[in-house]
Amino acid sequence: MAFCSYTRKVNCFFQRPSVPSKVEDLKASISSALKPFSRDLVHFSIVADIPKAVKETSIKLLHAFVDSVFEFVDQPLLPSQSNFAPVDEIGEAVVVTTVEGKIPDDFPEGVYIRNGSNPLFGGLKSTKSIFGRSTHVWIEGEGMLHALYFTREKGRGTWNIFYNNKHVQTDTFKMEIHRKKPGFLPAIEGDSPAILMAYILNVLRFGVENKYLSNTNIFEHSKKYYSIAENHLPQEIDIYSLETLGNWNVNGAWNRPFTSHPKKAPGTSELVIMGIYPRKPYFELGVISADGKKMVHKVDLKFNRCSLCHDMGVTERYNVIMDFPLTIDINRLIRGDSLIKYDKDGYARIGVMPRYGDANSVRWFDVQPSCVFHLINCFEDNDEVVVRGCRARESVLPRPGSKDEKYKRFFEESEETSSTKNNNESLEELFYFRVCEWRLNMRTGEVKEKNVITKFFMEFPMINERFIGLRNKFCYLQVVDIEASSISDGLVKYGGLAKFQFEEDMELIKVEYHMLAEGNFCSGTTFVPKPQGVDEDDGWLVTFLHNENTNVSHVYIVDAKKFATHPITTITLPNRVPYGFHGAFMPL
């Protein structure tokens, strides 16, 4: 599932729904029946040796049961959430003609592409049934790629720009399209009996417990391009047509979920990956050859819980692993609690392991419990491994519109007590992200943690990718617009960009801002290095932007060396582009 953090609406507590006693009895019966094999709840499969005709008849009966018992209900959007609504595919690529400013002569030819949630059938759905209610959250929309192509006419140097969008056609996308109506029952957020039944019925009807989303990121390896969300394998994409070419399982060597943020190892260009799963082995790490043809290393790191790890790091010699107390637990769900939950009293640790190490070779460093979705970069500095990322004190996945009374009281109590806390901690400081640095001393075991305090909260960090795993000086982030995010009921909006310049002394860090006009918000920002650049910040920031005042979408190009000035190029798009997740620039 896609686990990018887009909200401060945090449902840290579970409250049992008010349901009829018969349903409570049914819930108890389900829980009791599932206990003996709860570890394998997400690993059901249809028995292979059942005759095909019997299997097809059984599935038809199951579909009929779901259609009669479960009612799919549209989730309405607030006016402030209008650009989170899905769009249709436009078909073939179209020429973009409205360009304000100038595309730099030394800008590389290529495609700026961004992934994001674009639910089928008009938007997200909830279900109502005798088992209770379950709800798809925004990160569960099917993936859609939005691509802007930059090409030059030979001999003339004139820029041609094309735009296209297309859904990623995962296996489950094809199932839903074939049915021409919603089929998968929401299986993450809602009443525990409804979620349990969703798991079981999804597996019995479709062979998998939830939809394959492929909506979070897009990456390149060995001149091939992949769309990814970490609840499944990557899908290879034809970068020119945006057609989906099929799943990538590294020639059969990887058969589990795949991180949304794989990292290329500096020096070797091997791809370091990880995969989490809510049954053992909870966490596996792999290293894929530079040519993408084989898995050169694969290891179970022997986790004792399924930590919701969204990102990982690499240095010249090490892999960096995050084990923080945001977890996925099927047994917890069966007990009537949340499937995904942040345990503010749980442990947090960062692991440093040799590139081809095993569970015994990991050096673990205990750190302050918090929530970390995205790392900025990792590198070695003498005896220390330096890890920089975005950290919130407490956070979980998006749950806009939550009416949980305990959740409300939690915020009310926090507001009453925040002024008396020694660190004057506000609600925003609990649930929005700040840049943090951990220095892990491999010789002494000492840990130094430091937050970078700025006037804004930020997420979705990016750097010049030539410096992944190496000491770098600059990073770029999207700046949270707290007021707009609050009005949009927890769906976070980003009202600007920030450029960090790191120094040896973290107290001397320099921050520049490029803030957008009121009513304009960005997503999918990426750094495009100048092909012949010398300095680390030789290049441009490119971002998708939506103007909510005019309901028109654009792409901005900002000179990274003249960061605080106006964008050098504004490209008006022929189609609205909803807010989304990660973007990338692929030189072609």
Side-chain angles (χ1 to χ4, degrees):
M1 46 192 97
F3 293 121
C4 291
S5 172
Y6 263 77
T7 183
R8 77 183 179 101
K9 288 273 189 175
V10 184
N11 189 359
C12 293
F13 304 97
F14 178 85
Q15 183 174 6
R16 282 188 167 82
S18 176
V19 292
S21 59
K22 289 184 179 180
V23 178
E24 283 291 339
D25 294 341
L26 178 60
K27 173 182 169 181
S29 299
I30 292 172
S31 178
S32 177
L34 289 176
K35 279 182 180 178
F37 49 91
S38 61
R39 288 178 54 202
D40 297 314
L41 178 60
V42 297
H43 204 59
F44 285 140
S45 61
I46 298 173
V47 180
D49 57 358
I50 296 176
K52 182 178 179 180
V54 175
K55 186 183 299 185
E56 290 178 350
T57 300
S58 300
I59 291 175
K60 287 180 181 178
L61 290 172
L62 285 167
H63 284 320
F65 170 75
V66 170
D67 290 341
S68 64
V69 173
F70 290 85
E71 178 187 359
F72 281 92
V73 181
D74 290 329
Q75 294 183 33
L77 292 174
L78 299 172
S80 60
Q81 298 171 330
S82 61
N83 197 47
F84 291 95
V87 294
D88 294 330
E89 293 183 0
I90 63 172
E92 299 298 321
V94 299
V95 178
V96 176
T97 58
T98 306
V99 179
E100 180 182 337
K102 181 184 177 183
I103 299 173
D105 292 334
D106 50 356
F107 195 82
E109 290 188 283
V111 54
Y112 170 45
I113 187 167
R114 201 219 65 202
N115 213 336
S117 169
N118 200 84
L120 289 174
F121 310 116
L124 295 173
K125 310 295 179 186
S126 299
T127 61
K128 296 190 296 184
S129 71
I130 62 170
F131 306 105
R133 188 181 183 102
S134 63
T135 301
H136 279 132
V137 294
W138 183 59
I139 58 171
E140 293 184 273
E142 285 77 6
M144 176 175 274
L145 302 174
H146 298 266
L148 196 67
Y149 297 86
F150 295 84
T151 62
R152 305 193 77 160
E153 293 185 17
K154 292 182 179 179
R156 297 180 60 188
T158 305
W159 284 101
N160 292 323
I161 305 174
F162 299 86
Y163 166 80
N164 200 3
N165 69 354
K166 196 174 291 292
H167 269 116
V168 182
Q169 295 201 358
T170 64
D171 298 338
T172 60
F173 175 94
K174 295 174 184 176
M175 295 177 192
E176 296 264 69
I177 287 294
H178 178 72
R179 285 173 47 85
K180 298 181 181 179
K181 63 178 182 179
F184 278 85
L185 300 170
I188 292 180
E189 174 71 4
D191 301 333
S192 56
I195 296 175
L196 285 169
M197 290 307 299
Y199 262 90
I200 296 169
L201 290 169
N202 285 344
V203 172
L204 292 176
R205 294 157 68 221
F206 302 111
V208 293
E209 65 271 8
N210 212 337
K211 294 186 292 185
Y212 300 146
L213 303 176
S214 199
N215 67 8
T216 308
N217 201 3
I218 185 162
F219 66 94
E220 174 272 336
H221 187 59
S222 187
K223 303 302 180 184
K224 292 186 177 182
Y225 305 89
Y226 303 94
S227 174
I228 183 64
E230 62 241 30
N231 75 330
H232 189 43
L233 297 167
Q235 283 70 52
E236 185 180 352
I237 301 296
D238 182 321
I239 199 67
Y240 298 97
S241 68
L242 301 184
E243 296 291 339
T244 305
L245 303 179
N247 299 329
W248 183 39
N249 61 10
V250 198
N251 290 322
W254 191 263
N255 61 354
R256 64 188 287 115
F258 190 111
T259 177
S260 292
H261 295 286
K263 294 293 193 300
K264 285 191 179 181
T268 68
S269 292
E270 293 172 323
L271 193 69
V272 183
I273 67 172
M274 67 178 185
I276 62 170
Y277 199 62
R279 65 186 290 272
K280 290 184 177 181
Y282 295 125
F283 187 114
E284 286 190 330
L285 181 141
V287 182
I288 300 172
S289 60
D291 61 10
K293 295 181 179 179
K294 61 181 179 180
M295 184 75 63
V296 297
H297 186 65
K298 181 179 177 182
V299 62
D300 172 12
L301 293 188
K302 308 294 185 185
F303 275 34
N304 61 11
R305 65 183 182 183
C306 181
S307 298
L308 204 168
C309 303
H310 180 69
D311 202 352
M312 62 177 301
V314 293
T315 70
E316 292 178 278
R317 292 181 294 168
Y318 301 114
N319 308 316
V320 178
I321 302 138
M322 315 297 284
D323 182 11
F324 281 61
L326 177 61
T327 61
I328 309 172
D329 190 338
I330 298 295
N331 290 310
R332 184 169 59 213
L333 175 67
I334 292 171
R335 294 192 300 267
D337 207 336
S338 300
L339 175 67
I340 301 172
K341 186 174 182 179
Y342 177 78
D343 180 5
K344 62 182 179 181
D345 297 319
Y347 65 87
R349 58 182 186 167
I350 300 176
V352 180
M353 66 174 285
R355 180 79 71 239
Y356 309 109
D358 58 18
N360 295 325
S361 66
V362 181
R363 181 77 178 272
W364 289 107
F365 295 83
D366 293 329
V367 297
Q368 183 180 15
S370 58
C371 185
V372 176
F373 282 111
H374 296 116
L375 295 180
I376 295 170
N377 197 23
C378 306
F379 59 89
E380 298 167 38
D381 183 15
N382 297 320
D383 291 332
E384 294 179 325
V385 171
V386 180
V387 180
R388 291 173 180 157
C390 295
R391 177 174 74 172
R393 287 293 306 277
E394 297 181 23
S395 180
V396 292
L397 297 180
R399 287 175 173 88
S402 171
K403 304 301 181 186
D404 186 280
E405 289 301 321
K406 287 186 178 179
Y407 166 75
K408 288 182 179 178
R409 286 199 296 271
F410 172 77
F411 273 88
E412 291 168 357
E413 291 167 3
S414 297
E415 286 178 326
E416 291 172 0
T417 60
S418 61
S419 61
T420 65
K421 293 181 180 180
N422 292 333
N423 59 355
N424 294 319
E425 185 174 63
S426 68
L427 294 181
E428 286 79 15
E429 287 171 330
L430 281 174
F431 297 105
Y432 282 126
F433 289 82
R434 290 191 183 278
V435 170
C436 180
E437 180 183 88
W438 297 266
R439 286 187 167 267
L440 315 175
N441 193 304
M442 298 293 288
R443 181 175 57 84
T444 66
E446 182 184 9
V447 178
K448 298 177 183 176
E449 299 183 49
K450 187 170 184 62
N451 268 340
V452 180
I453 306 300
T454 57
K455 62 180 179 179
F456 295 111
F457 298 93
M458 309 171 197
E459 243 284 28
F460 287 82
M462 70 225 76
I463 66 170
N464 184 333
E465 291 194 352
R466 297 170 182 172
F467 289 81
I468 288 178
L470 307 173
R471 179 192 290 273
N472 70 305
K473 191 171 185 178
F474 299 100
C475 83
Y476 311 89
L477 302 101
Q478 295 178 179
V479 176
V480 175
D481 186 319
I482 292 178
E483 182 178 357
S485 302
S486 176
I487 294 171
S488 63
D489 199 24
L491 291 174
V492 173
K493 295 180 180 179
Y494 296 90
L497 304 171
K499 176 184 179 181
F500 276 58
Q501 180 174 330
F502 294 102
E503 301 292 346
E504 290 292 331
D505 184 350
M506 287 287 284
E507 299 291 346
L508 300 178
I509 193 169
K510 179 181 178 182
V511 185
E512 296 179 82
Y513 296 99
H514 182 102
M515 303 307 293
L516 305 175
E518 185 176 354
N520 289 260
F521 306 99
C522 61
S523 68
T525 312
T526 193
F527 179 85
V528 180
K530 188 176 293 187
Q532 304 303 321
V534 176
D535 297 331
E536 181 186 335
D537 61 344
D538 275 338
W540 305 269
L541 273 293
V542 185
T543 188
F544 280 95
L545 178 145
H546 186 71
N547 185 330
E548 295 191 353
N549 303 314
T550 61
N551 199 31
V552 175
S553 296
H554 308 272
V555 164
Y556 268 20
I557 301 177
V558 178
D559 189 327
K561 279 188 170 292
K562 300 175 182 177
F563 190 75
T565 60
H566 293 292
I568 58 174
T569 315
T570 301
I571 303 168
T572 301
L573 301 175
N575 198 57
R576 181 175 66 85
V577 178
Y579 302 127
F581 302 133
H582 295 281
F585 188 89
M586 310 294 188
L588 301 177

